[in-house]
Amino acid sequence: MRPTIHDVARVAGVSLSTVDRVLNGRHSVRAATRDRVETAMRSLGYVRNAAAANLSRRRILRFLFLLPGGANSFMRNLEAEVLTYSRLLVADGVEVEVRTLPPFDAAALDDALAAIEPGTCDGVALVAVDSPGVRAAVRRLRDRNLPVVTLISDLTPELRAHFVGINNVRAGRTAGRLLGRFCGGTTGRIAVMAGSMVLQDHAERDRGFREVLRANFPALTPMDPIEAFDDAAIAERTLTALLEQTADVVGIYSIGAGNRGLVSALDRRGGRPPVVVHELTENSRGWLLAGKIDAVIRQDPAREARSALRTLVALSNGKAFHKDENRVGIEIFLQDNLP
Amino acid sequence: MRPTIHDVARVAGVSLSTVDRVLNGRHSVRAATRDRVETAMRSLGYVRNAAAANLSRRRILRFLFLLPGGANSFMRNLEAEVLTYSRLLVADGVEVEVRTLPPFDAAALDDALAAIEPGTCDGVALVAVDSPGVRAAVRRLRDRNLPVVTLISDLTPELRAHFVGINNVRAGRTAGRLLGRFCGGTTGRIAVMAGSMVLQDHAERDRGFREVLRANFPALTPMDPIEAFDDAAIAERTLTALLEQTADVVGIYSIGAGNRGLVSALDRRGGRPPVVVHELTENSRGWLLAGKIDAVIRQDPAREARSALRTLVALSNGKAFHKDENRVGIEIFLQDNLP
DNA sequence: CGCGTTTTGACTAACGTACCTCATTTTACC
DNA sequence: GGTAAAATGAGGTACGTTAGTCAAAACGCG
């Protein structure tokens, strides 16, 4: 049988109340008494029963997720995963509200954060837009002891409790090394297609990609990024034009969405250079299997949703959470290791 | 406020006892009554409070992990991860016993499974060795409603509740495709180093590797596997000999452990062909960063430990567990996407 | 030493569910 | 219609913790 606070009280020679006071930092307890209680806990190997504690606290944990709205398929996917996983957590007394905000709108995020009433929420996960207002709002939440987790896009580390997402520079580097190796010693130019370089994550991937090519594959020259604004038609048109004008394209890196256009453009030509894209979708999975692209790099939105939620739960329960467990990786998929 | 069984009873117009009977399938309840209760549950969106239920059941969940003993570093790693994660679960009333058995010993596994006393254990995770005795023992456990999860190595699917591990044929295919691409059109032979082809997982990886080379990279010819028995000295000696005898080795695939010997052998030569190995360790991570090898393929033992434990917990609580959540992937690491 | 202040103890109700007993009602069947 | 059997109700206790109240004890300080 696991020891309970009753056992701790008995061994420490104090009352239940005192154990409770030590455990929950209530009234003042003399240092000597606290020591005795803590020693007893250690010697018994006491671990607070999380189920009983939460039950007694009659506490349901309410978390707020602030995600950018709009058509961005990655974000919609992430939203769906958050909702899916939170349904599983209902049995453990967790309630999740997902609110979508105008994308890239610091003021809207700022307002949403400021509007959080004390006592109505036990933790926040947000896709950060870095601005002084947002930083101030997050700081206020932290001062209220509300755990804040950043998702996908980070803030300064001292403001948030945990960041769930990938390092996009390293994602770009990974793409660069993969494509560099796939090009196998040929010389030529690499076409780069992005959603928009205004997006921080796209810009970071682009940077990492170029770093690696410059340092490790000097025979490959990345071209200026085409901005396709995640639109298949634009992507197809501009890429087709580029391929017609440029004879020595020996590889293609697609940083964002709009890959349908990329594939159509390539389909109409005979042969194709190595292609590396981001995000695993039904489409990109099919293209990988069909041999229309060579590798997909992704961050798993399902794991990100779960990590964010688990982190919030752990922080709210005052549990140490395993950082490693809640880290998401930069995954590489070829047609053989698809999930 | 979330609805409780009291609410369900009120709405259904029955007593608490009856709701309890329906919920836990105790005495006989008339179909009509059961219907009313179930309708009430649905209309209220009732979800059983897992914390309260387990508390009341004064139930601690006891799980048994049966892992192969011996020096196999992957298994030792896995064992450590199981212990680490189970420490986190203590607060939720989970107790884990890890028992190591002689490796590849079906009889020992069989005995260990048969020795499980009813009532002393709520679920088993094992690294399966397929034999009639083991299958029978697992079937008996299943008949006792004890959830059984296979780890790393599977049994026939109908016997176990879940398998946590990777498909090694696909892992080998992944290695093959990666190495094939890295070799970039050159012609020659590929050296293959395994622990022992008696190991099923090594044999499967070898098979997948060859499949891909044959189908997609006909210019690359895999050589017969060197068996190094996970021993660095043997690996170094045999690989050195092989490289001296064979001029056209254009790639190396290491299926198992003993990579220290591989790296030493390569270190003593000028230049090296592309190298793909399995398992991410402090060593292989260092070699990747130092450019001594090109890619590492792994299954994450930490995630496998967590998945097995979470699956057992979910099954014991009668919860639907998310299959996807508890699946582990075949991960590819280059020096840029290391965790 | 006596005072006021801290610290501690004893006790109680509650959280939502499980599980038990005993009594009562309803049903099925002849 | 009467009987046994089945179904249901009522009520209690317990799980381990939280969170309170009130009284008693110990302490610090002049």
Side-chain angles (χ1 to χ4, degrees):
Chain A
M1 278 273 88
R2 276 174 58 196
T4 72
I5 44 175
H6 295 81
D7 302 311
V8 174
R10 195 169 26 75
V11 170
V14 298
S15 71
L16 263 187
S17 313
T18 300
V19 176
D20 176 60
R21 283 169 191 135
V22 171
L23 213 45
N24 296 296
R26 275 184 232 289
H27 311 285
S28 37
V29 175
R30 254 187 312 164
T33 316
R34 187 190 351 269
D35 274 358
R36 270 165 58 205
V37 172
E38 281 167 353
T39 305
M41 284 182 182
R42 261 194 306 278
S43 78
L44 285 171
Y46 170 78
V47 183
R48 179 207 236 107
N49 180 326
N54 280 333
L55 178 59
S56 174
R57 281 198 184 97
R58 83 195 69 184
R59 173 154 87 137
I60 55 174
L61 293 174
R62 278 161 307 186
F63 299 129
L64 177 62
F65 275 64
L66 297 173
L67 305 179
N72 182 311
S73 65
F74 178 78
M75 289 299 171
R76 297 288 66 75
N77 212 328
L78 179 64
E79 180 179 4
E81 295 292 351
V82 170
L83 291 172
T84 300
Y85 192 60
S86 44
R87 234 166 280 137
L88 272 184
L89 290 181
V90 168
D92 301 316
V94 173
E95 265 178 21
V96 175
E97 182 191 349
V98 177
R99 202 176 301 159
T100 52
L101 301 174
F104 314 116
D105 186 337
L109 184 52
D110 189 354
D111 289 349
L113 290 171
I116 296 172
E117 303 274 337
T120 63
C121 177
D122 302 285
V124 180
L126 68 145
V127 177
V129 181
D130 206 358
S131 85
V134 170
R135 280 197 296 274
V138 169
R139 191 171 289 116
R140 275 195 303 275
L141 294 180
R142 197 200 45 183
D143 293 345
R144 276 207 255 142
N145 268 327
L146 271 197
V148 175
V149 169
T150 48
L151 253 176
I152 314 301
S153 158
D154 201 7
L155 277 176
T156 36
E158 63 270 22
L159 287 181
R160 44 71 176 168
H162 189 52
F163 166 59
V164 177
I166 62 170
N167 178 326
N168 279 299
V169 176
R170 293 178 63 201
R173 292 185 59 94
T174 305
R177 191 167 312 265
L178 213 49
L179 199 55
R181 299 302 305 248
F182 284 6
C183 288
T186 56
T187 297
R189 291 196 274 179
I190 306 287
V192 177
M193 238 181 62
S196 159
M197 296 309 284
V198 176
L199 298 177
Q200 207 193 339
D201 49 349
H202 287 202
E204 286 172 355
R205 288 175 189 173
D206 185 64
R207 180 150 61 85
F209 184 76
R210 281 162 208 277
E211 275 175 22
V212 167
L213 287 201
R214 193 174 332 110
N216 299 281
F217 304 94
L220 302 176
T221 313
M223 303 177 69
D224 286 337
I226 302 174
E227 291 183 293
F229 305 104
D230 292 359
D231 179 308
I234 300 180
E236 177 169 3
R237 187 152 27 81
T238 49
L239 184 62
T240 303
L242 181 142
L243 291 174
E244 275 165 11
Q245 287 162 21
T246 321
D248 62 343
V249 171
V250 295
I252 303 178
Y253 174 39
S254 169
I255 295 181
N259 290 324
R260 188 195 304 269
L262 182 156
V263 169
S264 329
L266 291 177
D267 265 348
R268 297 195 316 204
R269 305 171 53 95
R272 62 160 182 85
V275 178
V276 173
V277 312
H278 279 269
E279 306 318 337
L280 190 63
T281 62
E282 269 316 303
N283 282 333
S284 60
R285 156 191 280 278
W287 296 326
L288 206 45
L289 289 171
K292 291 173 187 281
I293 59 179
D294 298 288
V296 171
I297 294 177
R298 80 151 174 184
Q299 51 185 324
D300 184 355
R303 197 168 340 149
E304 281 170 329
R306 293 193 295 263
S307 291
L309 275 163
R310 274 206 281 267
T311 302
L312 286 173
V313 170
L315 289 171
S316 301
N317 288 341
K319 255 205 252 182
F321 70 104
H322 250 210
K323 270 233 156 86
D324 293 344
E325 182 187 354
N326 293 310
R327 206 162 266 161
V328 295
I330 299 170
E331 297 172 308
I332 302 172
F333 293 110
L334 310 181
Q335 61 178 269
D336 307 287
N337 69 328
L338 280 169
Chain B
M1 277 275 86
R2 277 173 56 196
T4 71
I5 45 175
H6 295 81
D7 301 311
V8 174
R10 195 168 25 74
V11 170
V14 299
S15 71
L16 263 186
S17 311
T18 302
V19 176
D20 177 59
R21 284 170 188 131
V22 171
L23 212 47
N24 297 296
R26 272 183 235 291
H27 311 286
S28 37
V29 175
R30 254 187 313 161
T33 316
R34 186 190 350 267
D35 274 358
R36 272 166 56 206
V37 172
E38 280 167 353
T39 306
M41 284 182 183
R42 264 195 306 278
S43 78
L44 285 170
Y46 171 78
V47 183
R48 180 208 235 108
N49 181 324
N54 280 335
L55 177 59
S56 175
R57 281 199 183 98
R58 88 193 68 179
R59 171 154 89 138
I60 55 172
L61 293 174
R62 277 162 306 185
F63 299 130
L64 177 62
F65 275 64
L66 297 173
L67 305 180
N72 182 311
S73 65
F74 178 79
M75 288 300 170
R76 297 289 67 76
N77 212 329
L78 180 65
E79 179 178 4
E81 296 292 349
V82 170
L83 291 172
T84 300
Y85 191 60
S86 45
R87 235 165 281 138
L88 272 184
L89 290 181
V90 168
D92 299 316
V94 173
E95 263 178 21
V96 175
E97 181 191 350
V98 177
R99 201 176 304 157
T100 52
L101 302 174
F104 316 115
D105 186 338
L109 183 52
D110 188 354
D111 290 347
L113 290 171
I116 296 172
E117 303 274 337
T120 64
C121 176
D122 302 286
V124 180
L126 68 146
V127 177
V129 181
D130 206 357
S131 85
V134 171
R135 279 197 297 273
V138 170
R139 189 172 290 114
R140 275 196 302 275
L141 294 179
R142 197 200 44 183
D143 292 344
R144 275 206 254 143
N145 267 326
L146 270 197
V148 174
V149 169
T150 48
L151 253 175
I152 314 304
S153 158
D154 201 7
L155 277 177
T156 36
E158 63 271 21
L159 287 181
R160 44 72 175 168
H162 189 53
F163 166 60
V164 177
I166 62 171
N167 178 325
N168 279 299
V169 176
R170 294 179 64 203
R173 292 185 58 94
T174 304
R177 192 166 313 264
L178 213 49
L179 198 56
R181 300 303 305 248
F182 284 5
C183 288
T186 55
T187 298
R189 290 197 273 178
I190 307 287
V192 177
M193 237 181 63
S196 159
M197 297 309 284
V198 176
L199 299 178
Q200 207 193 338
D201 48 349
H202 286 203
E204 286 172 354
R205 289 176 189 173
D206 185 64
R207 180 150 61 86
F209 184 76
R210 281 161 208 276
E211 274 175 22
V212 167
L213 288 199
R214 194 174 332 111
N216 299 279
F217 304 94
L220 302 175
T221 313
M223 305 176 68
D224 287 336
I226 303 174
E227 292 183 293
F229 306 103
D230 294 359
D231 179 305
I234 301 179
E236 177 169 2
R237 186 151 28 82
T238 50
L239 183 63
T240 302
L242 181 143
L243 290 174
E244 273 164 11
Q245 288 161 21
T246 322
D248 63 341
V249 170
V250 296
I252 303 178
Y253 174 39
S254 169
I255 295 181
N259 289 323
R260 187 196 303 270
L262 183 157
V263 169
S264 329
L266 290 177
D267 265 348
R268 296 195 316 204
R269 306 171 54 94
R272 62 159 183 87
V275 178
V276 173
V277 312
H278 279 270
E279 305 318 340
L280 189 63
T281 62
E282 269 317 301
N283 282 334
S284 60
R285 155 190 281 276
W287 296 327
L288 205 47
L289 288 171
K292 291 174 186 283
I293 59 180
D294 297 288
V296 171
I297 295 177
R298 81 151 174 185
Q299 51 185 322
D300 184 356
R303 197 165 342 147
E304 281 170 329
R306 292 193 296 262
S307 290
L309 275 164
R310 276 202 214 109
T311 302
L312 286 173
V313 170
L315 289 171
S316 301
N317 288 340
K319 257 206 251 183
F321 71 104
H322 250 212
K323 269 230 157 87
D324 293 344
E325 181 188 353
N326 293 310
R327 206 161 265 160
V328 295
I330 300 169
E331 296 173 309
I332 302 173
F333 293 110
L334 309 182
Q335 61 178 268
D336 307 287
N337 69 328
L338 281 169

